[in-house]
Amino acid sequence: MNSNVGSPFFTDFDINNELDWQMSRAEKYCIINLLQFLKPDVAIEIGTFKGGSLQVINEFSNHIYSIDISEAPRKFLQVGFNKVQFRVGQSHLIIDGIFKEIEDKNQKLEFILVDGDHSKIGVKRDLESILAYPHKNKVTILLHDSFNPQCRAGIKSVNYSNYPNVSYVELDYITGSFWHNKSYREMWGGFAMIVIDPNMKGEALNLSSQEHLFRRAYLSSIHLIKDPFHFLVPFKQKIFKKLGLRQKTDIYTDF
Ligand SMILES: C[S@@+](CC[C@H](N)C(=O)[O-])C[C@H]1O[C@@H](n2cnc3c(N)ncnc32)[C@H](O)[C@@H]1O
């Protein structure tokens, strides 16, 4: 998603346009307003990239952990973001340790942005490792790209009834985009929201308010043709690497 879709943009928040921010106008408005309201004691971001979303999290949170599988974001951003603890690794393997660290410090985790591995299994792993932890207070989670069929399937594949402290699940908190810029017939963007509330009693509200829009777009999308062959992606990555060819996703790890 191109970062310049925000202009003109109306906010008191001083956006640094030099930080590539892979979110749409609606998503930017949402996350700025949400964090301005929540003012989290601690926030975690999965998927740092070039610090676009991190700049907002950094502004409104007391303590921040930002996780990326690549070393590049830490090297690129540490100087400008001295309040942020950059962690390098696979998010689903290291996030539990971060939860424990926050608890040991008597801090309060209140916000998580999930924007890392966008495959169905990747999203599922991230979500399950977040939900399995016995959180002591309310945590608001935003998941980016819930309009992308792979991400959406990952979010949907979690059995929320296994986690009694989940009070709210909405796949289309912010609706995504179809055929955005040059992404030929692709579906990206959107925010799902999940709320963990340890005082939760009763049944969670489980919504996908734009499911009809999602299905209509899916029928005209390239995902219909591409996604059945998704299992070939690891082979393609290996072949490209062997041949020394650049892939679309290299921009995330190599900058
Ligand atoms: C779409 S970008 C994040 C964009 C950023 N949040 C923003 O709005 O500007 C996704 C990032 O997730 C990272 N990533 C991919 N898989 C990951 C994983 N398993 N664990 C941690 N980070 C991962 C990538 O290296 C990439 O930097």
Side-chain angles (χ1 to χ4, degrees):
M1 183 160 298
N2 201 316
S3 62
N4 64 12
V5 291
S7 188
F9 198 83
F10 305 93
T11 178
D12 289 337
F13 178 71
D14 189 13
I15 297 176
N16 180 351
N17 287 312
E18 303 208 329
L19 301 173
D20 192 358
W21 187 357
Q22 297 206 313
M23 287 184 186
S24 72
R25 185 188 307 123
E27 291 153 10
K28 288 175 182 174
Y29 275 121
C30 172
I31 195 167
I32 291 172
N33 198 60
L34 179 69
L35 286 168
Q36 217 160 21
F37 177 81
L38 288 177
K39 295 191 178 62
D41 181 31
V42 184
I44 299 177
E45 174 180 60
I46 297 178
T48 317
F49 190 39
K50 291 192 178 169
S53 46
L54 183 61
Q55 63 182 307
V56 191
I57 301 171
N58 182 57
E59 175 71 21
F60 298 112
S61 316
N62 294 331
H63 311 277
I64 306 109
Y65 295 81
S66 191
I67 306 170
D68 205 285
I69 201 164
S70 160
E71 275 279 357
R74 171 159 60 189
K75 286 190 191 145
F76 184 69
L77 297 165
Q78 186 73 82
V79 176
F81 289 87
N82 47 27
K83 206 168 74 176
V84 176
Q85 302 219 28
F86 292 94
R87 298 291 162 92
V88 180
Q90 291 220 41
S91 44
H92 71 287
L93 299 179
I94 62 175
I95 201 163
D96 194 65
I98 296 175
F99 291 151
K100 289 187 183 118
E101 205 177 311
I102 293 166
E103 214 174 316
D104 289 348
K105 287 182 186 160
N106 273 324
Q107 294 171 346
K108 225 172 139 185
L109 174 68
E110 293 178 300
F111 176 77
I112 305 175
L113 172 66
V114 180
D115 194 13
D117 183 341
H118 285 58
S119 67
K120 178 183 173 184
I121 181 74
V123 173
K124 186 175 197 279
R125 278 193 305 228
D126 274 343
L127 254 179
E128 288 182 340
S129 54
I130 292 169
L131 299 178
Y133 192 81
H135 297 280
K136 300 267 182 340
N137 50 275
K138 199 166 173 176
V139 185
T140 304
I141 305 162
L142 281 184
L143 299 105
H144 192 221
D145 291 315
S146 58
F147 205 57
N148 175 265
Q150 282 286 321
C151 293
R152 197 175 182 90
I155 303 169
K156 273 185 159 177
S157 68
V158 173
N159 185 355
Y160 294 96
S161 58
N162 287 342
Y163 307 97
N165 57 4
V166 170
S167 64
Y168 181 76
V169 181
E170 160 63 296
L171 267 73
D172 303 297
Y173 191 77
I174 297 290
T175 305
S177 322
F178 177 66
W179 202 335
H180 180 77
N181 289 348
K182 290 178 184 148
S183 69
Y184 179 74
R185 291 188 181 211
E186 289 185 19
M187 298 160 73
W188 287 102
F191 273 144
M193 180 183 279
I194 296 178
V195 179
I196 297 172
D197 182 355
N199 298 318
M200 161 74 185
K201 287 184 184 72
E203 243 181 63
L205 199 56
N206 203 327
L207 309 165
S208 45
S209 56
Q210 293 302 313
E211 192 62 30
H212 293 298
L213 178 69
F214 173 81
R215 286 188 195 160
R216 294 299 294 186
Y218 185 69
L219 289 176
S220 313
S221 79
I222 195 76
H223 303 287
L224 198 64
I225 299 158
K226 255 173 49 177
D227 285 9
F229 298 101
H230 200 78
F231 69 97
L232 292 173
V233 168
F235 301 106
K236 184 187 148 203
Q237 284 170 340
K238 270 190 193 150
I239 293 167
F240 269 59
K241 214 170 172 184
K242 240 188 177 156
L243 297 176
L245 299 172
R246 257 187 99 72
Q247 303 175 59
K248 238 175 159 182
T249 48
D250 285 346
I251 58 154
Y252 293 117
T253 47
D254 183 11
F255 60 86

